[in-house]
mmCIF file with all atom_site columns, all heavy atoms in Angstrom:
data_model
loop_
_atom_site.group_PDB
_atom_site.id
_atom_site.type_symbol
_atom_site.label_atom_id
_atom_site.label_alt_id
_atom_site.label_comp_id
_atom_site.label_asym_id
_atom_site.label_entity_id
_atom_site.label_seq_id
_atom_site.pdbx_PDB_ins_code
_atom_site.Cartn_x
_atom_site.Cartn_y
_atom_site.Cartn_z
_atom_site.occupancy
_atom_site.B_iso_or_equiv
_atom_site.pdbx_formal_charge
_atom_site.auth_seq_id
_atom_site.auth_comp_id
_atom_site.auth_asym_id
_atom_site.auth_atom_id
_atom_site.pdbx_PDB_model_num
ATOM 1   N N   . LYS N 1 86 ? 28.001 -11.727 -58.377 1.00 0.00 ? 1511 LYS N N   1
ATOM 2   C CA  . LYS N 1 86 ? 28.971 -11.113 -59.151 1.00 0.00 ? 1511 LYS N CA  1
ATOM 3   C C   . LYS N 1 86 ? 28.891 -9.559  -59.066 1.00 0.00 ? 1511 LYS N C   1
ATOM 4   O O   . LYS N 1 86 ? 27.861 -9.053  -59.325 1.00 0.00 ? 1511 LYS N O   1
ATOM 5   C CB  . LYS N 1 86 ? 28.951 -11.542 -60.581 1.00 0.00 ? 1511 LYS N CB  1
ATOM 6   C CG  . LYS N 1 86 ? 29.959 -10.923 -61.495 1.00 0.00 ? 1511 LYS N CG  1
ATOM 7   C CD  . LYS N 1 86 ? 29.817 -11.431 -62.959 1.00 0.00 ? 1511 LYS N CD  1
ATOM 8   C CE  . LYS N 1 86 ? 30.832 -10.789 -63.867 1.00 0.00 ? 1511 LYS N CE  1
ATOM 9   N NZ  . LYS N 1 86 ? 30.674 -11.165 -65.242 1.00 0.00 ? 1511 LYS N NZ  1
ATOM 10  N N   . ASN N 1 87 ? 29.944 -9.004  -58.582 1.00 0.00 ? 1512 ASN N N   1
ATOM 11  C CA  . ASN N 1 87 ? 29.921 -7.544  -58.420 1.00 0.00 ? 1512 ASN N CA  1
ATOM 12  C C   . ASN N 1 87 ? 31.214 -6.940  -59.147 1.00 0.00 ? 1512 ASN N C   1
ATOM 13  O O   . ASN N 1 87 ? 32.237 -7.644  -59.174 1.00 0.00 ? 1512 ASN N O   1
ATOM 14  C CB  . ASN N 1 87 ? 30.009 -7.063  -56.998 1.00 0.00 ? 1512 ASN N CB  1
ATOM 15  C CG  . ASN N 1 87 ? 28.707 -7.172  -56.293 1.00 0.00 ? 1512 ASN N CG  1
ATOM 16  O OD1 . ASN N 1 87 ? 27.679 -6.943  -56.893 1.00 0.00 ? 1512 ASN N OD1 1
ATOM 17  N ND2 . ASN N 1 87 ? 28.713 -7.641  -55.040 1.00 0.00 ? 1512 ASN N ND2 1
ATOM 18  N N   . GLY N 1 88 ? 31.047 -5.783  -59.693 1.00 0.00 ? 1513 GLY N N   1
ATOM 19  C CA  . GLY N 1 88 ? 32.193 -5.047  -60.314 1.00 0.00 ? 1513 GLY N CA  1
ATOM 20  C C   . GLY N 1 88 ? 32.485 -3.797  -59.539 1.00 0.00 ? 1513 GLY N C   1
ATOM 21  O O   . GLY N 1 88 ? 31.559 -3.205  -58.906 1.00 0.00 ? 1513 GLY N O   1
ATOM 22  N N   . HIS N 1 89 ? 33.730 -3.355  -59.604 1.00 0.00 ? 1514 HIS N N   1
ATOM 23  C CA  . HIS N 1 89 ? 34.095 -2.083  -58.937 1.00 0.00 ? 1514 HIS N CA  1
ATOM 24  C C   . HIS N 1 89 ? 35.159 -1.360  -59.708 1.00 0.00 ? 1514 HIS N C   1
ATOM 25  O O   . HIS N 1 89 ? 36.033 -1.987  -60.242 1.00 0.00 ? 1514 HIS N O   1
ATOM 26  C CB  . HIS N 1 89 ? 34.618 -2.408  -57.569 1.00 0.00 ? 1514 HIS N CB  1
ATOM 27  C CG  . HIS N 1 89 ? 35.080 -1.152  -56.812 1.00 0.00 ? 1514 HIS N CG  1
ATOM 28  N ND1 . HIS N 1 89 ? 34.275 -0.236  -56.304 1.00 0.00 ? 1514 HIS N ND1 1
ATOM 29  C CD2 . HIS N 1 89 ? 36.363 -0.745  -56.612 1.00 0.00 ? 1514 HIS N CD2 1
ATOM 30  C CE1 . HIS N 1 89 ? 34.967 0.741   -55.758 1.00 0.00 ? 1514 HIS N CE1 1
ATOM 31  N NE2 . HIS N 1 89 ? 36.265 0.444   -55.912 1.00 0.00 ? 1514 HIS N NE2 1
ATOM 32  N N   . ARG N 1 90 ? 34.952 -0.013  -59.866 1.00 0.00 ? 1515 ARG N N   1
ATOM 33  C CA  . ARG N 1 90 ? 36.054 0.799   -60.490 1.00 0.00 ? 1515 ARG N CA  1
ATOM 34  C C   . ARG N 1 90 ? 36.352 1.938   -59.544 1.00 0.00 ? 1515 ARG N C   1
ATOM 35  O O   . ARG N 1 90 ? 35.506 2.688   -59.197 1.00 0.00 ? 1515 ARG N O   1
ATOM 36  C CB  . ARG N 1 90 ? 35.579 1.362   -61.823 1.00 0.00 ? 1515 ARG N CB  1
ATOM 37  C CG  . ARG N 1 90 ? 35.361 0.279   -62.891 1.00 0.00 ? 1515 ARG N CG  1
ATOM 38  C CD  . ARG N 1 90 ? 34.996 0.891   -64.204 1.00 0.00 ? 1515 ARG N CD  1
ATOM 39  N NE  . ARG N 1 90 ? 36.190 1.659   -64.741 1.00 0.00 ? 1515 ARG N NE  1
ATOM 40  C CZ  . ARG N 1 90 ? 36.099 2.403   -65.836 1.00 0.00 ? 1515 ARG N CZ  1
ATOM 41  N NH1 . ARG N 1 90 ? 34.956 2.528   -66.477 1.00 0.00 ? 1515 ARG N NH1 1
ATOM 42  N NH2 . ARG N 1 90 ? 37.173 3.040   -66.341 1.00 0.00 ? 1515 ARG N NH2 1
ATOM 43  N N   . GLN N 1 91 ? 37.597 1.914   -59.101 1.00 0.00 ? 1516 GLN N N   1
ATOM 44  C CA  . GLN N 1 91 ? 38.005 2.924   -58.089 1.00 0.00 ? 1516 GLN N CA  1
ATOM 45  C C   . GLN N 1 91 ? 38.236 4.294   -58.790 1.00 0.00 ? 1516 GLN N C   1
ATOM 46  O O   . GLN N 1 91 ? 38.749 4.457   -59.870 1.00 0.00 ? 1516 GLN N O   1
ATOM 47  C CB  . GLN N 1 91 ? 39.385 2.465   -57.525 1.00 0.00 ? 1516 GLN N CB  1
ATOM 48  C CG  . GLN N 1 91 ? 39.878 3.450   -56.407 1.00 0.00 ? 1516 GLN N CG  1
ATOM 49  C CD  . GLN N 1 91 ? 39.023 3.299   -55.143 1.00 0.00 ? 1516 GLN N CD  1
ATOM 50  O OE1 . GLN N 1 91 ? 38.487 2.250   -54.830 1.00 0.00 ? 1516 GLN N OE1 1
ATOM 51  N NE2 . GLN N 1 91 ? 38.805 4.402   -54.507 1.00 0.00 ? 1516 GLN N NE2 1
ATOM 52  N N   . SER N 1 92 ? 37.718 5.343   -58.108 1.00 0.00 ? 1517 SER N N   1
ATOM 53  C CA  . SER N 1 92 ? 37.933 6.716   -58.546 1.00 0.00 ? 1517 SER N CA  1
ATOM 54  C C   . SER N 1 92 ? 39.370 7.110   -58.246 1.00 0.00 ? 1517 SER N C   1
ATOM 55  O O   . SER N 1 92 ? 39.733 7.100   -57.047 1.00 0.00 ? 1517 SER N O   1
ATOM 56  C CB  . SER N 1 92 ? 36.937 7.665   -57.890 1.00 0.00 ? 1517 SER N CB  1
ATOM 57  O OG  . SER N 1 92 ? 35.639 7.297   -58.217 1.00 0.00 ? 1517 SER N OG  1
ATOM 58  N N   . LEU N 1 93 ? 40.108 7.562   -59.114 1.00 0.00 ? 1518 LEU N N   1
ATOM 59  C CA  . LEU N 1 93 ? 41.551 7.894   -58.959 1.00 0.00 ? 1518 LEU N CA  1
ATOM 60  C C   . LEU N 1 93 ? 41.795 9.340   -59.424 1.00 0.00 ? 1518 LEU N C   1
ATOM 61  O O   . LEU N 1 93 ? 41.068 9.924   -60.196 1.00 0.00 ? 1518 LEU N O   1
ATOM 62  C CB  . LEU N 1 93 ? 42.449 6.925   -59.695 1.00 0.00 ? 1518 LEU N CB  1
ATOM 63  C CG  . LEU N 1 93 ? 42.315 5.442   -59.412 1.00 0.00 ? 1518 LEU N CG  1
ATOM 64  C CD1 . LEU N 1 93 ? 43.099 4.654   -60.359 1.00 0.00 ? 1518 LEU N CD1 1
ATOM 65  C CD2 . LEU N 1 93 ? 42.805 5.140   -58.030 1.00 0.00 ? 1518 LEU N CD2 1
ATOM 66  N N   . THR N 1 94 ? 42.956 9.837   -58.955 1.00 0.00 ? 1519 THR N N   1
ATOM 67  C CA  . THR N 1 94 ? 43.474 11.129  -59.403 1.00 0.00 ? 1519 THR N CA  1
ATOM 68  C C   . THR N 1 94 ? 44.903 10.944  -59.774 1.00 0.00 ? 1519 THR N C   1
ATOM 69  O O   . THR N 1 94 ? 45.668 10.291  -59.030 1.00 0.00 ? 1519 THR N O   1
ATOM 70  C CB  . THR N 1 94 ? 43.385 12.210  -58.266 1.00 0.00 ? 1519 THR N CB  1
ATOM 71  O OG1 . THR N 1 94 ? 42.014 12.348  -57.897 1.00 0.00 ? 1519 THR N OG1 1
ATOM 72  C CG2 . THR N 1 94 ? 43.945 13.502  -58.750 1.00 0.00 ? 1519 THR N CG2 1
ATOM 73  N N   . GLU N 1 95 ? 45.228 11.373  -60.997 1.00 0.00 ? 1520 GLU N N   1
ATOM 74  C CA  . GLU N 1 95 ? 46.687 11.356  -61.419 1.00 0.00 ? 1520 GLU N CA  1
ATOM 75  C C   . GLU N 1 95 ? 47.355 12.638  -61.004 1.00 0.00 ? 1520 GLU N C   1
ATOM 76  O O   . GLU N 1 95 ? 46.844 13.732  -61.351 1.00 0.00 ? 1520 GLU N O   1
ATOM 77  C CB  . GLU N 1 95 ? 46.806 11.155  -62.871 1.00 0.00 ? 1520 GLU N CB  1
ATOM 78  C CG  . GLU N 1 95 ? 48.202 11.004  -63.425 1.00 0.00 ? 1520 GLU N CG  1
ATOM 79  C CD  . GLU N 1 95 ? 48.283 10.884  -64.917 1.00 0.00 ? 1520 GLU N CD  1
ATOM 80  O OE1 . GLU N 1 95 ? 47.307 11.140  -65.619 1.00 0.00 ? 1520 GLU N OE1 1
ATOM 81  O OE2 . GLU N 1 95 ? 49.343 10.501  -65.379 1.00 0.00 ? 1520 GLU N OE2 1
ATOM 82  N N   . ILE N 1 96 ? 48.473 12.502  -60.265 1.00 0.00 ? 1521 ILE N N   1
ATOM 83  C CA  . ILE N 1 96 ? 49.243 13.726  -59.886 1.00 0.00 ? 1521 ILE N CA  1
ATOM 84  C C   . ILE N 1 96 ? 50.650 13.529  -60.330 1.00 0.00 ? 1521 ILE N C   1
ATOM 85  O O   . ILE N 1 96 ? 51.159 12.478  -60.635 1.00 0.00 ? 1521 ILE N O   1
ATOM 86  C CB  . ILE N 1 96 ? 49.216 13.929  -58.323 1.00 0.00 ? 1521 ILE N CB  1
ATOM 87  C CG1 . ILE N 1 96 ? 49.815 12.745  -57.618 1.00 0.00 ? 1521 ILE N CG1 1
ATOM 88  C CG2 . ILE N 1 96 ? 47.801 14.198  -57.872 1.00 0.00 ? 1521 ILE N CG2 1
ATOM 89  C CD1 . ILE N 1 96 ? 49.980 12.969  -56.093 1.00 0.00 ? 1521 ILE N CD1 1
ATOM 90  N N   . VAL N 1 97 ? 51.327 14.727  -60.615 1.00 0.00 ? 1522 VAL N N   1
ATOM 91  C CA  . VAL N 1 97 ? 52.695 14.764  -60.984 1.00 0.00 ? 1522 VAL N CA  1
ATOM 92  C C   . VAL N 1 97 ? 53.417 15.443  -59.796 1.00 0.00 ? 1522 VAL N C   1
ATOM 93  O O   . VAL N 1 97 ? 53.142 16.581  -59.472 1.00 0.00 ? 1522 VAL N O   1
ATOM 94  C CB  . VAL N 1 97 ? 52.925 15.501  -62.334 1.00 0.00 ? 1522 VAL N CB  1
ATOM 95  C CG1 . VAL N 1 97 ? 54.347 15.706  -62.631 1.00 0.00 ? 1522 VAL N CG1 1
ATOM 96  C CG2 . VAL N 1 97 ? 52.192 14.792  -63.431 1.00 0.00 ? 1522 VAL N CG2 1
ATOM 97  N N   . ILE N 1 98 ? 54.479 14.810  -59.312 1.00 0.00 ? 1523 ILE N N   1
ATOM 98  C CA  . ILE N 1 98 ? 55.246 15.353  -58.250 1.00 0.00 ? 1523 ILE N CA  1
ATOM 99  C C   . ILE N 1 98 ? 56.105 16.489  -58.813 1.00 0.00 ? 1523 ILE N C   1
ATOM 100 O O   . ILE N 1 98 ? 56.931 16.243  -59.701 1.00 0.00 ? 1523 ILE N O   1
ATOM 101 C CB  . ILE N 1 98 ? 56.121 14.280  -57.538 1.00 0.00 ? 1523 ILE N CB  1
ATOM 102 C CG1 . ILE N 1 98 ? 55.203 13.107  -57.073 1.00 0.00 ? 1523 ILE N CG1 1
ATOM 103 C CG2 . ILE N 1 98 ? 56.888 14.866  -56.376 1.00 0.00 ? 1523 ILE N CG2 1
ATOM 104 C CD1 . ILE N 1 98 ? 54.147 13.415  -56.092 1.00 0.00 ? 1523 ILE N CD1 1
ATOM 105 N N   . GLU N 1 99 ? 55.981 17.712  -58.247 1.00 0.00 ? 1524 GLU N N   1
ATOM 106 C CA  . GLU N 1 99 ? 56.719 18.814  -58.772 1.00 0.00 ? 1524 GLU N CA  1
ATOM 107 C C   . GLU N 1 99 ? 57.953 19.180  -57.880 1.00 0.00 ? 1524 GLU N C   1
ATOM 108 O O   . GLU N 1 99 ? 58.974 19.618  -58.394 1.00 0.00 ? 1524 GLU N O   1
ATOM 109 C CB  . GLU N 1 99 ? 55.836 20.099  -58.917 1.00 0.00 ? 1524 GLU N CB  1
ATOM 110 C CG  . GLU N 1 99 ? 54.819 19.919  -59.963 1.00 0.00 ? 1524 GLU N CG  1
ATOM 111 C CD  . GLU N 1 99 ? 53.922 21.168  -60.124 1.00 0.00 ? 1524 GLU N CD  1
ATOM 112 O OE1 . GLU N 1 99 ? 53.752 21.900  -59.104 1.00 0.00 ? 1524 GLU N OE1 1
ATOM 113 O OE2 . GLU N 1 99 ? 53.445 21.352  -61.190 1.00 0.00 ? 1524 GLU N OE2 1
#
Side-chain angles (χ1 to χ4, degrees):
K1511 181 180 178 183
N1512 284 321
H1514 176 74
R1515 292 185 69 189
Q1516 185 68 38
S1517 297
L1518 301 172
T1519 299
E1520 182 183 15
I1521 60 173
V1522 174
I1523 305 300
E1524 292 183 332

